[in-house]
Amino acid sequence: QVQLVESGGGLVQTGGSLRLSCAASGFTSKINAMGWYRQAPGKEREMVATMTNGGSTNYANSVKGRFTISRDNAKSTVTLQMNSLKPEDTFIYYCNAITTSRIYWGRGTQVTVSS
């Protein structure tokens, strides 16, 4: 089992920045990749950014150039630096971790960007 705990969400004005962090515990040696997804009520969860253990990254087009994902494999953490935030970035943000057997999710953290 892998447990994930997110932190760093909150309320910010348009153009502002937030930094989300996610700490993994448990069988962290089994993790192959970690990432961030986001979801609005009643909508499907969408990928924001992912990073493999080898450092390969993938970003949603809507966040490229504004968001940066980073990982500390030794500490089993993943961070999402979000700059130039827009009201359309308002979502619940979820951390995930992928192992060979399953995908784990955190409980989410709310990000609200006011106009």
Side-chain angles (χ1 to χ4, degrees), residues 98-112:
I98 301 173
T99 70
T100 54
S101 59
R102 61 171 287 186
I103 299 173
Y104 295 87
W105 295 94
R107 298 182 66 178
T109 183
Q110 177 70 47
V111 171
T112 301

Side-chain angles (χ1 to χ4, degrees), residues 2-108:
V2 174
Q3 294 80 41
L4 301 170
V5 178
E6 301 103 335
S7 61
L11 173 64
V12 66
Q13 292 185 335
T14 297
S17 298
L18 281 175
R19 185 179 181 88
L20 305 182
S21 294
C22 174
S25 60
F27 291 121
T28 57
S29 62
K30 304 295 185 181
I31 296 174
N32 296 321
M34 298 184 73
W36 290 93
Y37 285 67
R38 63 190 187 184
Q39 186 173 25
K43 300 292 181 64
E44 290 189 2
R45 195 168 294 184
E46 62 182 40
M47 187 274 292
V48 178
T50 62
M51 179 179 274
T52 66
N53 287 359
S56 296
T57 58
N58 189 30
Y59 291 92
N61 287 334
S62 59
V63 307
K64 284 181 180 177
R66 300 188 299 124
F67 292 10
T68 303
I69 188 171
S70 60
R71 287 183 61 189
D72 185 332
N73 291 333
K75 296 181 179 179
S76 300
T77 60
V78 61
T79 300
L80 186 68
Q81 177 66 43
M82 304 186 294
N83 299 328
S84 302
L85 283 162
K86 307 174 182 179
E88 51 263 43
D89 294 317
T90 296
F91 288 94
I92 298 175
Y93 284 71
Y94 296 89
C95 169
N96 87 342
I98 301 173
T99 70
T100 54
S101 59
R102 61 171 287 186
I103 299 173
Y104 295 87
W105 295 94
R107 298 182 66 178

